[in-house]
Amino acid sequence: MSTLVSVEVEYMFPSTQFSQADLQTICFSSFPERVNSDTIEDSAFYFKFRHSSPEVPCGPTEDDPCYWYGYCLFRQQRDTSVKRNYRQKSLVLISQHDFVPLFAHLVKTISTLDFSVSPTLIESACSNIAAWAGPEVGLQELPFLGSLLDVHIPPHPSFPLQGRVTASPSRTDIRIEYKEIHTSEPLGSWARLAQLLTSISELYIIFERVLLSEPLVVLADDPRTCSEFVSAAIDLIRPIPFGGDCRPYLTMQSDFFLNGHEGIPFRHYLIGITNPFFLKRVLSQGKDSTIPHVVYLAGPEVKRKPHNFYSSNTERELSNNFITNDMKGSLTKDLVFLRKLEHYLKDSETTPQEIGRFVRRHFALLSALFLAPLNRYLATLTTVSPNSKMIDIANFSEDDFLASLSKYGCQVQFKGKTSFHRYRAAETFYRKFCRSPSFFRWLQMKIRLQMADGDSGCGSPTSGFMEKIENRLQ
């Protein structure tokens, strides 16, 4: 194993006036902190950072304008002429848009066409991208290096297109390669990621943590694995947006700790790391109420225990210490689902795509069942006018909602020995959710989608609560 000590920019196109801090962040985030010298495979991953380059012009975006995204492909070749016997390079695409599948595909395409990634090819690729129109909801046909990309953009990153998907037109020109891309799709494959978990039942703990925006750290052997797992974990709770600070890959040089004064990073975050010393640093920053749950993703060299559906805690050796997670969640685990998933993971005839659909469908249904009581209560706040039908979210009351929950119940199965204990567990969990950033992000998304649907009377019933939401999220 070797450790990164210095990085330099070979070339940049187009030439951009990044601040020195941003340039350093991009450089260090574009290389793995730990590199396995026994492999020469490419490693594709992405990262997110708070930028500080006011001179760089940016267009309108639905994402947080304070953050940029880096889509990276790391490559190393054996070269005995250099000190470490390996020459390492990274191709990085920086964007203000969180379109992970799209930009990951672009970087991979460039590196496939030219192994050394020449400046001429980069210039051609950037020229193609510069000619694209601004992002719009729906289907966009984007030409890129001789191929045509059918890119589907949802009305919100956490909200599926749901019937708004425009079918790609049938084409007969065999000289052009066509590629269909959905920008909201997660990276990675659950067929690979689930195998790395200590226990696949941990998926439910991860679901709960992400749903409540509670601190979660993913510790993996490489940036690809941790960034893919973060992307897949966010996807588990859709259509609920994650309300905390999400960083798919962080290094020791990141700005994560510098933003602690804002309150969000150390109370609500989901981060991916590869450095055990970084984990100690994160743990030292948290208080008892904000101790993160750590997801340990084992590499192939780590001897793993068989999957245990009933484990109450999980631990893995880390620098001669054991860090123990509390695995006592609130939701009842679906043992039928877990057994089927265990079977699919062992079955060579089950494709990764089938496993991915199976996992995503299960948690999508769980998210829908969880939201059902909230949607039922919000329906009682609907204001109907001749030109619009708008939910009066400004009159939302947590106590009234919990009274509705007590009256009608929910289909999500919570733990408890008696019906009273199960109800109390559900009430506590929903109360936590109603006070979490994810809840306010979800309401914010509903408001914006209602506005986008052309409700002319939407200003009055939402304006007051929109201010509450913005204040709560700051």
Side-chain angles (χ1 to χ4, degrees):
M1 305 291 287
S2 60
T3 305
L4 178 68
V5 293
S6 63
V7 181
E8 63 180 17
V9 178
E10 186 175 347
Y11 59 85
M12 182 191 307
F13 191 90
S15 180
T16 306
Q17 295 299 316
F18 290 116
S19 68
Q20 189 61 36
D22 284 350
L23 198 59
Q24 180 176 342
T25 297
I26 293 170
C27 287
F28 279 104
S29 300
S30 301
F31 282 77
E33 287 192 296
R34 298 184 298 164
V35 180
N36 189 345
S37 58
D38 295 330
T39 179
I40 58 174
E41 293 181 356
D42 292 345
S43 178
F45 56 95
Y46 74 108
F47 57 91
K48 172 185 174 183
F49 66 100
R50 179 181 289 272
H51 71 86
S52 58
S53 299
E55 302 299 324
V56 178
C58 295
T61 176
E62 293 296 324
D63 301 305
D64 190 335
C66 296
Y67 291 92
W68 287 343
Y69 302 84
Y71 305 92
C72 180
L73 187 134
F74 169 76
R75 171 173 289 164
Q76 67 177 1
Q77 286 180 296
R78 187 164 183 80
D79 187 347
T80 57
S81 65
V82 298
K83 183 177 181 180
R84 297 182 179 180
N85 295 324
Y86 280 91
R87 188 175 299 277
Q88 299 174 339
K89 284 187 177 183
S90 282
L91 173 65
V92 191
L93 189 155
I94 304 297
S95 174
Q96 67 186 101
H97 299 294
D98 185 16
F99 297 157
V100 183
L102 171 61
F103 292 118
H105 174 76
L106 301 188
V107 172
K108 182 179 179 180
T109 300
I110 294 171
S111 62
T112 302
L113 294 175
D114 185 349
F115 190 84
S116 61
V117 190
S118 66
T120 302
L121 182 59
I122 295 294
E123 183 174 354
S124 299
C126 289
S127 298
N128 283 175
I129 297 173
W132 294 350
E136 294 181 358
V137 174
L139 172 65
Q140 288 186 274
E141 297 180 353
L142 306 178
F144 184 72
L145 298 180
S147 63
L148 191 62
L149 309 179
D150 291 333
V151 180
H152 299 269
I153 302 177
H156 188 279
S158 297
F159 192 80
L161 286 163
Q162 290 189 340
R164 303 188 185 191
V165 176
T166 303
S168 300
S170 58
R171 304 181 179 96
T172 58
D173 192 345
I174 61 174
R175 297 170 297 177
I176 301 178
E177 178 184 353
Y178 301 98
K179 174 71 175 178
E180 189 170 16
I181 298 174
H182 292 263
T183 60
S184 60
E185 289 288 306
L187 282 187
S189 167
W190 278 116
R192 185 178 82 92
L193 297 174
Q195 295 276 16
L196 301 178
L197 290 170
T198 305
S199 168
I200 56 175
S201 64
E202 191 177 6
L203 285 171
Y204 285 92
I205 302 298
I206 295 168
F207 175 83
E208 291 185 29
R209 282 274 178 168
V210 178
L211 186 67
L212 299 176
S213 300
E214 293 180 345
L216 189 69
V217 178
V218 178
L219 179 62
D221 291 339
D222 58 87
R224 174 199 168 193
T225 300
C226 68
S227 63
E228 287 183 355
F229 197 93
V230 168
S231 175
I234 293 291
D235 178 70
L236 290 180
I237 67 170
R238 283 175 175 160
I240 304 170
F242 178 68
D245 190 358
C246 176
R247 305 294 186 95
Y249 172 55
L250 286 175
T251 67
M252 289 290 286
Q253 292 79 17
S254 72
D255 64 342
F256 182 69
F257 293 101
L258 299 179
N259 298 326
H261 65 279
E262 299 177 7
I264 293 180
F266 298 136
R267 291 190 292 119
H268 312 287
Y269 60 82
L270 169 56
I271 63 175
I273 62 175
T274 61
N275 192 331
F277 292 102
F278 197 164
L279 176 59
K280 291 185 177 182
R281 188 177 176 189
V282 172
L283 295 174
S284 68
Q285 298 288 333
K287 299 179 181 179
D288 291 341
S289 59
T290 58
I291 295 297
H293 177 91
V294 184
V295 180
Y296 298 99
L297 301 181
E301 73 283 355
V302 178
K303 184 177 180 180
R304 300 171 58 250
K305 299 177 181 179
H307 289 316
N308 181 359
F309 300 156
Y310 308 97
S311 60
S312 60
N313 61 70
T314 180
E315 56 187 18
R316 186 173 302 284
E317 189 172 1
L318 179 64
S319 301
N320 298 322
N321 293 316
F322 282 95
I323 297 175
T324 302
N325 287 320
D326 181 7
M327 296 286 282
K328 298 178 181 178
S330 300
L331 303 180
T332 300
K333 300 177 178 65
D334 187 336
L335 298 183
V336 175
F337 163 75
L338 292 174
R339 291 191 185 101
K340 285 185 177 180
L341 178 57
E342 179 77 7
H343 169 72
Y344 290 152
L345 291 173
K346 294 178 179 178
D347 183 14
S348 60
E349 295 184 359
T350 305
T351 66
Q353 292 76 18
E354 290 172 331
I355 294 175
R357 285 194 295 268
F358 178 69
V359 174
R360 296 182 68 197
R361 187 183 302 115
H362 174 78
F363 284 99
L365 176 60
L366 188 58
S367 296
L369 293 177
F370 176 78
L371 288 176
L374 282 160
N375 284 321
R376 180 175 54 229
Y377 169 72
L378 291 178
T380 66
L381 305 179
T382 300
T383 301
V384 180
S385 67
N387 299 321
S388 68
K389 184 178 180 181
M390 196 70 186
I391 298 175
D392 189 3
I393 300 180
N395 287 328
F396 180 89
S397 166
E398 181 182 296
D399 291 336
D400 290 346
F401 162 66
L402 293 177
S404 173
L405 179 68
S406 176
K407 181 178 180 179
Y408 297 104
C410 66
Q411 290 184 277
V412 176
Q413 300 298 315
F414 286 87
K415 293 179 179 179
K417 294 182 179 180
T418 66
S419 58
F420 175 77
H421 291 137
R422 289 190 288 273
Y423 166 71
R424 295 295 294 178
E427 182 184 52
T428 300
F429 193 87
Y430 273 102
R431 192 183 296 276
K432 283 183 179 180
F433 179 71
C434 289
R435 299 177 181 182
S436 73
S438 290
F439 173 67
F440 288 91
R441 293 289 187 196
W442 177 67
L443 287 180
Q444 189 180 51
M445 180 187 73
K446 288 181 71 70
I447 293 171
R448 290 179 177 175
L449 290 176
Q450 287 178 330
M451 291 179 175
D453 284 339
D455 292 304
S456 58
C458 63
S460 173
T462 63
S463 57
F465 201 71
M466 280 294 290
E467 294 179 2
K468 293 182 184 179
I469 291 176
E470 296 297 339
N471 292 334
R472 182 66 179 265
L473 294 177
Q474 287 178 356

